[in-house]
Amino acid sequence: MDAPSHRPIDHPSVWSGFARTFVVAAAIMGLAAIGLVAAIDPYGLRAAPGRPPGPIMDTNQRLSYPQIARGGPFDAAVFGTSTARLLDPVALDAAFGVRFANLAMNAATPDEQTRLAGLFLARRPIRAVLFGLDATWCAADPPARTANAFPDWLYADGAPGDVLRQMSLRSVTTAVGAGFADLGLARARIRGDGYAVFTPSEARYDLDRARAHIRAGAVESSAADAPGAPMPALAHLDDLLGRVPGEALKIVAFMPVHAAAQGAPDSAAGRREAACKARTAMIGKRRGAVVVDFRRISPLTTEDANYWDALHYRLPVAARLVSDLKAAVATGQDDPDGVYRVLAHP
């Protein structure tokens, strides 16, 4: 009897069969990944006021927050950087009787904040907005972007049709995490209203360490701090406030960084900040906004124990800010202890 014949492993038909199998398997896996991402919608492309997004699993706020801007029950929002992130929407809701989302993003540039605010304003009826301002809004040449991914298409009205554009290993991983969260097998990384405590646990607070960080974050004046230099970002703030309905509550707050991170009143940086506040107050008066200045030398900003570093206050301070904002809106009066000044009030 003849022995069975075997094709050598380098026979062309063996390799062509392997190649076909590989291509088919890759295509099936690719289609499955696309289907998974499209079905779970990890970045909320289909979110709308009547269709809230699913669990927020990606900690990159620039990828996660557009879905909150599109969906959910919110009629108010906070915009800003990390100096506004600790304002708890639950406390703001109780203070102002609306439904807040906190969409402040770490190190967000004015342009990034403007894009996110524009998306939020275009998607729902608005009852309140709160813009937390930092020094970048006063800069003569503020950066347009940071090193963090910021896909402009994700902020466009046509984004719900862009399922393929979001395809990446990151989106697949995020979709899997969201699927587990839907099943109760994982927890969302960020609360559904955008709030997250990004500072360390209060139990770990170390005043000596905080003081070292505060000293490291002290502001330095430069020629760019000239009071008369342009402040182009304020034009975007003016435009955004003009797009908010006239009956809505509009709050603009200079956030309370430590005194070390502020320009001394007699320095170039201090004169620059004063000029910026004056221009912002004019915008606020024209747009019917309450403008509150916490970014000043005060018992709050000179107390090291209130801060983790030169920019970031602690949770008890965040709770006080909500209470102070409520008082500023209600009375239009400066704080008797000098913690804040009301620069404009309708």
Side-chain angles (χ1 to χ4, degrees):
M1 179 180 288
D2 295 333
S5 61
H6 297 280
R7 292 180 179 175
I9 195 169
D10 59 350
H11 193 279
S13 62
V14 174
W15 283 107
S16 62
F18 171 79
R20 283 194 299 270
T21 301
F22 178 83
V23 169
V24 170
I28 292 173
M29 292 177 63
L31 290 173
I34 293 172
L36 173 70
V37 171
I40 295 181
D41 193 22
Y43 296 116
L45 300 184
R46 296 191 298 272
R51 184 190 177 99
I56 300 175
M57 303 304 294
D58 197 317
T59 55
N60 183 342
Q61 299 164 283
R62 290 157 177 80
L63 300 179
S64 295
Y65 280 5
Q67 62 191 302
I68 302 175
R70 285 194 174 87
F74 311 111
D75 53 19
V78 177
F79 304 99
T81 65
S82 56
T83 61
R85 278 196 75 188
L86 292 182
L87 300 179
D88 191 337
V90 174
L92 289 168
D93 294 350
F96 297 108
V98 293
R99 291 294 303 273
F100 265 97
N102 190 322
L103 300 179
M105 302 186 295
N106 290 355
T109 66
D111 182 68
E112 291 173 333
Q113 295 175 52
T114 298
R115 293 296 304 277
L116 183 57
L119 180 61
F120 184 85
L121 295 175
R123 302 288 292 191
R124 69 195 67 237
I126 304 298
R127 296 179 60 198
V129 292
L130 197 170
F131 290 94
L133 302 192
D134 289 315
T136 52
W137 283 91
C138 306
D141 187 21
R145 295 286 188 273
T146 67
N148 298 289
F150 191 95
D152 288 283
W153 63 268
L154 194 55
Y155 292 73
D157 286 338
D162 290 329
V163 175
L164 292 179
R165 298 184 71 172
Q166 70 175 328
M167 282 304 302
S168 67
L169 179 59
R170 181 171 192 150
S171 65
V172 174
T173 303
T174 303
V176 171
F180 282 135
D182 282 332
L183 295 172
L185 302 176
R187 296 179 61 183
R189 299 289 186 88
I190 297 175
R191 211 166 73 186
D193 58 10
Y195 182 71
V197 177
F198 67 96
T199 52
S201 167
E202 286 290 327
R204 295 172 52 195
Y205 186 75
D206 183 328
L207 181 56
D208 290 336
R209 183 185 178 98
R211 283 174 171 155
H213 286 303
I214 290 168
R215 289 193 298 271
V219 70
E220 295 181 6
S221 294
S222 68
D225 293 320
M231 300 178 189
L234 293 183
H236 296 297
L237 177 65
D238 189 12
D239 176 68
L240 288 170
L241 290 173
R243 293 161 61 183
V244 179
E247 66 277 10
L249 173 62
K250 309 173 188 180
I251 305 174
V252 179
F254 286 91
M255 302 308 293
V257 298
H258 190 279
Q262 304 175 37
D266 59 347
S267 68
R271 291 189 290 272
R272 173 76 174 179
E273 289 188 12
C276 181
K277 291 173 184 178
R279 296 188 196 185
T280 303
M282 292 177 60
I283 292 171
K285 291 175 182 177
R286 184 168 63 252
R287 297 299 189 183
V290 180
V291 181
V292 185
D293 179 20
F294 292 100
R295 187 185 174 95
R296 59 197 312 274
I297 307 302
S298 75
L300 173 65
T301 60
T302 55
E303 177 55 65
D304 294 347
N306 286 331
Y307 289 85
W308 288 97
D309 55 38
L311 298 180
H312 301 111
Y313 47 79
R314 299 172 63 186
L315 282 173
V317 173
R320 171 175 183 161
L321 293 182
V322 174
S323 176
D324 284 348
L325 286 170
K326 180 180 180 180
V329 169
T331 69
Q333 302 297 313
D334 297 345
D335 178 62
D337 296 327
V339 169
Y340 65 82
R341 291 185 59 220
V342 178
L343 306 182
H345 196 280

